Amino acid sequence: MSAVEDRLAELGLTLPAVVPPLAAYQPAVQSGVYVYTSGQLPMVDGKLPVTGKVGAEVTAEEAKQLARTCALNALAAVKSVAGDLDRVARVVKVVGFVASAPDFTGQPGVVNGASELLGEVLGDKGVHARSAVGVAVLPLDATVEVEVQVELTEA
């Protein structure tokens, strides 16, 4: 087991299986020393535990927890192409999309769930640039979607 996966275990987390694509794309691709994940939904055992918009059917705190799940799924996608999460030199960028009620403006707080998980798991390597965007709707009526870009060390 890698040091990163040991850290996940210390946090009581298990790296899930990679979520299969819902359409014509790959969960992650590597280009040079970078891995780009597709948008990761908060799938758990093949389904969304919660659906709806933040500020309406879903609370900001619930959505923040879902963003953590998205980040965990993103780490699984990174591992699927990198082979070992210990190769992560740093998380470069995180983009979070939050399905939001028209008056909800707390998208950054929701996406903090993903950012905080990456920091807990990767330490300083998890510090990244980020965007948090409110959207009208996401695939499958998901509440949040997160994509991650990481830089790898040489193999």
Side-chain angles (χ1 to χ4, degrees):
M1 191 178 296
S2 74
V4 172
E5 289 181 80
D6 287 344
R7 179 66 183 140
L8 284 165
E10 289 172 14
L11 294 169
L13 301 169
T14 304
L15 203 62
V18 176
V19 175
L22 299 173
Y25 62 89
Q26 295 297 309
V29 297
Q30 182 173 346
S31 180
V33 295
Y34 294 97
V35 174
Y36 301 84
T37 72
S38 295
Q40 299 293 311
L41 301 179
M43 302 289 265
V44 177
D45 297 325
K47 60 186 172 200
L48 293 171
V50 176
T51 59
K53 294 181 180 32
V54 184
E57 302 88 359
V58 182
T59 69
E61 189 55 39
E62 288 172 314
K64 183 177 179 181
Q65 293 306 310
L66 294 168
R68 287 178 66 85
T69 301
C70 292
L72 193 59
N73 289 339
L75 288 174
V78 168
K79 182 182 177 188
S80 75
V81 295
D84 184 348
L85 288 176
D86 286 349
R87 289 190 60 211
V88 173
R90 75 168 303 143
V91 177
V92 177
K93 178 84 185 253
V94 171
V95 179
F97 302 94
V98 181
S100 304
D103 61 344
F104 182 75
T105 59
Q107 292 83 5
V110 169
V111 181
N112 276 349
S115 295
E116 290 167 4
L117 178 113
L118 294 168
E120 290 168 21
V121 172
L122 298 167
D124 289 343
K125 294 177 184 180
V127 177
H128 53 269
R130 187 183 86 184
S131 299
V133 181
V135 297
V137 68
L138 289 168
L140 305 177
D141 199 25
T143 300
V144 63
E145 180 176 344
V146 173
E147 60 184 53
V148 176
Q149 176 187 353
V150 302
E151 179 183 2
L152 301 176
T153 60
E154 296 298 327

